[in-house]
Amino acid sequence: QKEVEQNSGPLSVPEGAIASLNCTYSDRGSQSFFWYRQYSGKSPELIMFIYSNGDKEDGRFTAQLNKASQYVSLLIRDSQPSDSATYLCAVNIRYSTLTFGKGTMLLVSP
Amino acid sequence: EAQVTQNPRYLITVTGKKLTVTCSQNMNHEYMSWYRQDPGLGLRQIYYSMNVEVTDKGDVPEGYKVSRKEKRNFPLILESPSPNQTSLYFCASSPSGWGEQYFGPGTRLTVT
């Protein structure tokens, strides 16, 4: 069973729409959860982290965590073409080990 | 500026020629890690270090060595590189083993 799963996409949304990215994880003992954005050939850039159940908002981004259902999501409001990238979900399944999903490609069309 | 730096950014080498990729962070982070990223396989952890002189294997440690003699530096050593180590390598650092990780710019390595 894969530890962190994401739909590879691409997820296509028009400019100004809400993009919804989802991630599931296998280990119920996971403590911390992260979303990274990665442009092609560049390094992952941290967007959000969340530790507790519920929602966490930062500007146009909202991270949602549901530990009972073992999923994490990222909502991007008012999507812009510059948001087009691969979004990586990462989970601390074990202390000192961050496990990444393979990423979801997001395409925002003008 | 708080950052993680890696050198070199690009490297083409031949099979068997020892190489070192350097990684340095200026954020006083305890934790550092190395990843490789390959198409279709995602980011995979090679080695990590919780503190000076403390290192441990990640998911794909074969063919790699690391050392942590100073808090800020965490070099990755390939003693006898092979073509299957051609990849994009990232160093990262974090305030703790549970915390967010900050990535360096990456090193694209080609082994012929």
Side-chain angles (χ1 to χ4, degrees):
Chain A
Q1 183 181 4
K2 295 181 180 177
E3 294 184 301
V4 179
E5 290 203 57
Q6 297 180 254
N7 188 319
S8 62
L11 172 66
S12 296
V13 301
E15 183 175 357
I18 296 175
S20 177
L21 304 157
N22 300 310
C23 169
T24 59
Y25 60 94
S26 60
D27 193 322
R28 288 190 174 275
S30 301
Q31 297 286 325
S32 43
F33 308 85
F34 307 88
W35 283 100
Y36 287 82
R37 176 175 63 197
Q38 186 176 27
Y39 296 108
S40 180
K42 302 296 186 182
S43 60
E45 172 192 9
L46 180 69
I47 299 175
M48 298 279 293
F49 58 86
I50 185 167
Y51 299 146
S52 305
N53 276 330
D55 294 0
K56 180 181 178 183
E57 187 174 318
D58 183 1
R60 295 187 297 114
F61 300 98
T62 298
Q64 299 174 318
L65 174 61
N66 183 323
K67 288 188 176 182
S69 300
Q70 295 176 241
Y71 83 78
V72 193
S73 63
L74 179 70
L75 300 178
I76 306 174
R77 290 180 297 280
D78 188 23
S79 295
Q80 301 297 308
S82 58
D83 294 326
S84 297
T86 296
Y87 288 80
L88 305 174
C89 172
V91 178
N92 265 130
I93 289 178
R94 296 178 293 281
Y95 184 72
S96 78
T97 299
L98 194 60
T99 300
F100 286 82
K102 293 183 180 179
T104 298
M105 181 183 293
L106 173 66
L107 298 175
V108 181
S109 55
Chain B
E1 179 189 358
Q3 61 183 345
V4 179
T5 57
Q6 294 178 229
N7 282 291
R9 296 288 313 280
Y10 303 91
L11 180 60
I12 300 174
T13 189
V14 296
T15 300
K17 185 177 181 181
K18 181 179 179 179
L19 66 92
T20 299
V21 184
T22 65
C23 173
S24 183
Q25 52 95 3
N26 62 2
M27 295 172 278
N28 200 37
H29 284 169
E30 300 285 340
Y31 178 95
M32 297 184 75
S33 183
W34 276 102
Y35 297 88
R36 61 178 290 175
Q37 188 173 37
D38 303 287
L41 297 178
L43 275 163
R44 295 179 293 167
Q45 189 179 49
I46 304 171
Y47 269 95
Y48 64 90
S49 169
M50 289 305 304
N51 211 328
V52 175
E53 302 294 359
V54 180
T55 64
D56 208 346
K57 296 177 181 179
D59 296 322
V60 288
E62 295 77 19
Y64 305 95
K65 285 179 60 176
V66 293
S67 68
R68 186 101 180 264
K69 292 184 169 51
E70 304 169 279
K71 194 173 187 179
R72 63 183 293 126
N73 296 322
F74 190 43
L76 179 69
I77 303 159
L78 286 73
E79 296 211 324
S80 183
S82 62
N84 64 12
Q85 293 178 298
T86 292
S87 187
L88 180 57
Y89 290 87
F90 292 106
C91 179
S93 72
S94 174
S96 79
W98 287 118
E100 65 279 13
Q101 294 189 20
Y102 299 94
F103 284 78
T107 296
R108 187 168 292 280
L109 172 65
T110 302
V111 183
T112 61

